[in-house]
């Protein structure tokens, strides 16, 4: 990126920053700042417009008072003012062409930077949402697993209380065989 040769920016009255990336005010410009910058860049155009308006006002005043000589003189002054304004516009466009090209480059860089910031913020938001969703799924999985374990424990406790469990029946059957009291369903 080319910096202007002077220490002052052509875009504002502030000093040229050492790094364009850190000074966002260098790129942002309000309407009033743009108006004053353009007025400073090409002061002859508003001057020519003012002369033209003054000549029209003088011609109108002369016509109303009936002074045709002064009216003709003011109309000629209007033509000179318009010619001066057009010459100032053409000369200014040639003179400030390089500054305008630089300004367009600055605006493109600003536009790209804002788009990149917006994109990065969006990606950051999506990553945060993805992380939240992963955490939520893990919590749901943990809760589901805990419920399943609790249901298994509760089911085992119920079977133990009833005494009708498979292990309980097998233990009773073995005990009966060993003791021979007949509960096991077989002879010792």
């Amino acid at each position: 990126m080319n910096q202007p040769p002077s220490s002052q920016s052509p875009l504002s009255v502030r000093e040229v920053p050492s790094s364009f990336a850190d000074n966002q005010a260098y790129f942002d410009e309000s309407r009033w700042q743009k108006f004053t910058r353009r007025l400073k860049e090409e002061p002859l155009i508003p001057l020519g417009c003012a002369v033209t308006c003054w000549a029209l006002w003088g011609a109108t005043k002369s016509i109303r008072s009936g002074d045709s000589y002064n009216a003709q003189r003011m109309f000629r002054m209007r033509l000179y003012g318009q010619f001066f304004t057009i010459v100032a516009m053409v000369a200014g466009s040639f003179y400030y062409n390089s500054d305008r090209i630089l300004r367009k480059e600055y605006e493109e860089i600003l536009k790209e930077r804002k788009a990149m910031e917006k994109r990065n913020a969006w990606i950051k938001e999506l990553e945060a949402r993805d992380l939240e969703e992963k955490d939520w799924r893990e919590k749901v999985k943990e809760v589901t697993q805990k419920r399943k374990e609790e249901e298994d424990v509760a089911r085992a406790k119920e079977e133990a209380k009833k005494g009708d469990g498979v292990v309980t029946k097998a233990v009773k059957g073995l005990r009966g065989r060993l003791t021979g009291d007949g509960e096991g369903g077989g002879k010792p």
Side-chain angles (χ1 to χ4, degrees), residues 27-61:
F27 294 102
D28 293 335
E29 187 175 43
S30 69
R31 290 177 192 246
W32 180 251
Q33 288 172 333
K34 183 176 182 177
F35 176 75
T36 56
R37 176 179 57 84
R38 297 296 298 261
L39 191 63
K40 288 176 185 176
E41 283 180 358
E42 301 182 50
L44 298 178
I45 293 174
L47 180 67
C49 291
V51 168
T52 303
C53 290
W54 174 73
L56 281 173
W57 176 76
T60 304
K61 187 177 170 186

Side-chain angles (χ1 to χ4, degrees), residues 129-154:
R129 288 181 184 184
D130 188 43
L131 184 63
E132 287 175 1
E133 186 176 338
K134 285 180 182 178
D135 289 343
W136 180 78
R137 287 181 188 213
E138 287 178 13
K139 287 179 183 179
V140 167
K141 189 177 181 180
E142 288 175 6
V143 168
T144 306
Q145 191 173 4
K146 280 185 179 180
R147 284 185 184 165
K148 188 175 181 182
E149 289 174 1
E150 289 173 359
E151 288 174 1
D152 289 344
V153 169

Side-chain angles (χ1 to χ4, degrees), residues 16-28:
V16 175
S18 60
S19 172
F20 291 112
D22 295 336
N23 192 349
Q24 194 66 15
Y26 185 73
F27 294 102
D28 293 335

Side-chain angles (χ1 to χ4, degrees), residues 88-124:
M89 287 171 47
V90 171
S93 69
F94 283 119
Y95 183 75
Y96 289 106
N97 190 29
S98 63
D99 288 342
R100 286 194 182 106
I101 291 171
L102 286 175
R103 180 63 188 177
K104 285 183 182 180
E105 288 176 6
Y106 293 146
E107 288 173 356
E108 286 296 319
I109 291 170
L110 176 64
K111 187 178 179 181
E112 289 173 9
R113 183 174 291 139
K114 284 185 178 182
M116 187 65 91
E117 287 174 1
K118 187 177 180 180
R119 179 182 168 272
N120 289 340
W122 178 245
I123 288 173
K124 194 173 186 179

